[in-house]
Every structure is written in C-alpha cells, then in structure tokens.
Amino acid sequence: MELLSVQNVSKSFKDHSYTVHAVNDVSLDIHQGEMIAIIGPSGSGKTTLLNLMGIVISPDSGEVYVEGQKASGMNDTMRCRMRNQYFGYIVQDFALIEEDTAMQNILVPTLYSKHKKSSSEYRKLIYSMAEKLQVSDKLKSTVKKLSGGERQRIAIIRSMVCDQKIILADEPTGSLDKDNSTIVMKCLRELVDDFKKTVVIVTHDLNVARQCDRTFNLTGGVLTPCNL
Ligand SMILES: Nc1ncnc2c1ncn2[C@@H]1O[C@H](COP(=O)(O)OP(=O)(O)OP(=O)(O)O)[C@@H](O)[C@H]1O
C-alpha cells in the first residue's frame, strides 16, 4: 500500500474578480522510503500541493489517503491528530523561535504528540540525531546564534522528533549557500536511506531535484513526471 496517495486533487483560490486554479487534478502515489522532488515556476502551485499532501488544507475535489486512511472523511480533531502523527514540516525560513535554544525548538512538536515518550527518551533520540547531523554541540545554543545551515539541521531534527513517517520540505535549501545546501541534502538522504523516512521536497534548484528518486514538474497546477 502507498504511504501517501493523492487522487485527482484540485484546489482553487477565489480572488475578487477571478479564480486561481492552483492545483489541477493531480494524482500521485508515494511509497515509504522515497525521496520525491517537485519543481516548477513561481506560482505554479507547489506549496499548495505540499499543503494538500500534508492535509494542512482540504482539496475542493479529489482525495488524500495516508496509509489508506481517507483524510476528507475525518473531523478536524482526527485530521489534526493524523497531521501530527504522520507529517513533519521543514519550511524555508525554518520557523524556529530565535530566543529559545535549539533543544527547546526541537521539543515543540512533542507537546502535541499523541504517543509521548519520556523526556529522557526524547533527549536521547535528539542527541543521537544531532550527532548524525553534526549539531550535537549546538543543542544548548539559542537559535539566534546559529548559522543558516545549522538552523536548517535543527529544523530537520524537529521535523522527525515524533517519528513522523513523512517529511514535507518547502525549499529546504532555498536560503542556504552551496556547502550548507550539500549538508542539508545529505541529511535528508540519510533520513530516507537509514531511517526509511519519506521525503517530499519542493525546490527551484535542479541540483537538489537530481538527488531525489523521482522528480515531477508542476506547471499551472498540472503535475507531470520529468527526467532531469
Ligand atoms: N491562500 C491563498 N489565497 C489566494 N491565492 C492563493 C493562496 N495561496 C496560493 N494562492 C495562489 O495560488 C497560486 C499557487 O501558489 P503557490 O504558493 O502554491 O505557488 P508556488 O509554486 O509554491 O510558488 P513559489 O515558487 O513562488 O513559492 C498562486 O497564483 C498564488 O497566488
């Protein structure tokens, strides 16, 4: 069974005088342990599609299934629970709290987790992930003291601290230089290869897309497979 299945999903936004068809009849099946890239011009619907996949927003038509469970049939509480259980998000500006330490930021999703571990279990897990991503010495630092690449690695750890199976990354290397971009992509690849995570990346960077297992182009809300 697919881990995440998007079936004939469409989403429009109405402005005052016109309607934007942001995502238009998109279907995509994603399996566990895959790294998928979605590329496309600005305004082509990439973030909207990512938000539909992560059941952050609901489609106008079509269905999203997570491990075979239909998202549209759920009430808000169930959908929220599903979102927290399955999805980790990495966004371009990292969405970290500057004045808090890296550790405090990483622990935020654990406050909302259904399957809570003990505080010492979380810390053990976080240190082991941080060591792998070479930021274990930064966990006690406030975020404002960290570099862009370090922030992004902290955001990656936060995205999987509750053992979410699917990581949705919107331009994860967008604001990074080449070296940090390489480190972040190596981290994401390791999540897929070593932890069997599933990663969906929205990117403008073709080098980033080439490192993924499958690549799709989204133009005018229409998704097509592409070879880079
Ligand atoms: N909440 C909203 N209300 C109105 N229009 C929206 C909304 N969200 C997105 N849109 C419109 O839908 C279209 C797709 O937007 P989206 O952000 O998904 O594109 P994108 O491919 O991620 O763009 P970029 O690469 O610039 O981030 C755009 O025309 C955008 O203006």
Side-chain angles (χ1 to χ4, degrees):
M1 189 209 306
E2 302 80 26
L3 178 57
L4 180 63
S5 179
V6 173
Q7 297 292 323
N8 304 106
V9 160
S10 296
K11 181 75 182 178
S12 298
F13 297 105
K14 286 192 176 53
D15 215 332
H16 299 296
S17 51
Y18 62 95
T19 301
V20 179
H21 299 285
V23 169
N24 203 344
D25 197 20
V26 165
S27 296
L28 178 61
D29 288 333
I30 301 176
H31 299 93
Q32 184 166 1
E34 278 197 297
M35 195 166 178
I36 303 268
I38 298 171
I39 57 171
S42 186
S44 64
K46 302 181 296 299
T47 298
T48 306
L49 179 57
L50 211 64
N51 287 337
L52 288 164
M53 285 179 176
I55 57 177
V56 175
I57 57 172
S58 299
D60 300 331
S61 58
E63 291 294 347
V64 176
Y65 297 86
V66 183
E67 277 191 333
Q69 303 168 77
K70 194 174 176 178
S72 70
M74 297 182 174
N75 62 31
D76 286 351
T77 312
M78 286 165 72
R79 200 188 328 232
C80 188
R81 198 171 290 160
M82 179 187 253
R83 197 159 56 219
N84 290 338
Q85 185 185 343
Y86 282 94
F87 296 98
Y89 298 89
I90 303 171
V91 294
Q92 193 173 354
D93 62 2
F94 321 121
L96 298 169
I97 304 161
E98 292 282 312
E99 303 298 328
D100 283 356
T101 65
M103 178 63 95
Q104 285 168 325
N105 272 275
I106 291 168
L107 284 169
V108 168
T110 69
L111 305 173
Y112 306 100
S113 174
K114 191 181 159 205
H115 308 285
K116 282 198 197 303
K117 296 178 174 43
S118 70
S119 167
S120 64
E121 280 176 307
Y122 276 126
R123 277 166 201 275
K124 209 170 141 197
L125 173 74
I126 291 164
Y127 268 100
S128 80
M129 289 193 285
E131 254 164 42
K132 217 169 171 45
L133 304 189
Q134 295 166 36
V135 282
S136 55
D137 58 334
K138 304 291 175 188
L139 291 174
K140 289 180 182 158
S141 303
T142 48
V143 165
K144 65 183 174 193
K145 292 185 187 154
L146 303 183
S147 73
E150 289 163 352
R151 284 166 194 235
Q152 194 59 304
R153 278 177 274 166
I154 297 301
I156 289 173
I157 299 171
R158 186 186 53 181
S159 76
M160 53 177 289
V161 70
C162 296
D163 205 22
Q164 296 96 324
K165 292 184 175 176
I166 307 166
I167 294 169
L168 302 176
D170 200 348
E171 294 282 359
T173 60
S175 55
L176 303 181
D177 61 20
K178 197 158 167 278
D179 288 350
N180 274 309
S181 174
T182 304
I183 292 170
V184 164
M185 282 310 291
K186 191 165 164 276
C187 294
L188 291 174
R189 188 77 248 177
E190 281 176 10
L191 293 186
V192 173
D193 295 343
D194 300 350
F195 294 87
K196 289 285 161 261
K197 299 289 176 190
T198 300
V199 176
V200 181
I201 299 178
V202 157
T203 185
H204 282 108
D205 186 335
L206 297 186
N207 278 327
V208 166
R210 283 191 195 100
Q211 295 172 57
C212 295
D213 303 318
R214 289 194 287 157
T215 310
F216 295 85
N217 191 301
L218 191 68
T219 301
V222 177
L223 192 74
T224 45
C226 67
N227 287 318
L228 295 175

